[in-house]
Amino acid sequence: LIGDVDPRAGWTDATGLQDVAAWVDQKGGGLGWIAGPHVPLSAWTDTPLGRVLPVRPVETPPAPLSDPEGYRPLLTPQGEDSSIFLLDPEDLPPAQVVASLPEWYWSAAPVIATPAAEILAVHPRLRTAEGPAPLVVIGHYGAGRTFYAGSDDMWRWRRFRDIDHWR
């Protein structure tokens, strides 16, 4: 899982990034990104991991959105069927559960999903030329799986109905 880090910051080199891409591609590894306010997705596109991402930056991205009103992601039909959003022990429908969870207040600049990716949740107000801006996307790269979250506010969902999901 990669957070808000710059691939050019010296924590690894191109060979290390190529090794991770090969691990996902050939060994069936899983790799996810959680966007953050410091490093845009475009910093990754020209690296060996850029092709692993299930999303691409839009051509002329607007600034990341800090939304004082807050918002809740909207699940797509694929998101409603995905196990990622099965958060309720009482088996409430995922869209109903997400609608009751705490709001998010930040999102990265809008992205476009790659052709083989599945968009699981979108931003309720941000749009791209293709439609609502994807927030949660899963994909495949070779034998592996990939994940992208366009907000670092998922931590707000750590408690739901007085159940601590971090135990």
Side-chain angles (χ1 to χ4, degrees), residues 119-138:
I119 300 170
L120 303 182
V122 297
H123 196 286
R125 295 186 288 279
L126 288 180
R127 299 188 62 79
T128 69
E130 296 182 2
L135 277 174
V136 179
V137 180
I138 59 173

Side-chain angles (χ1 to χ4, degrees), residues 83-149:
S83 62
I84 289 176
F85 294 106
L86 292 178
L87 303 171
D88 184 58
E90 297 174 15
D91 293 328
L92 287 175
Q96 185 177 342
V97 173
V98 169
S100 71
L101 289 169
E103 295 177 319
W104 292 358
Y105 293 92
W106 182 86
S107 67
V111 296
I112 297 170
T114 59
E118 287 183 69
I119 300 170
L120 303 182
V122 297
H123 196 286
R125 295 186 288 279
L126 288 180
R127 299 188 62 79
T128 69
E130 296 182 2
L135 277 174
V136 179
V137 180
I138 59 173
H140 294 274
Y141 181 73
R145 300 287 311 254
T146 60
F147 172 82
Y148 171 80

Side-chain angles (χ1 to χ4, degrees), residues 2 19 33 35 43 49 51 57 60 66 80 86 110 114 117 120 129 137-138 142 146:
I2 296 175
D19 290 345
W33 281 262
L49 290 183
R51 65 183 182 275
T60 53
S66 184
E80 291 182 21
L86 292 178
T114 59
L120 303 182
V137 180
I138 59 173
T146 60

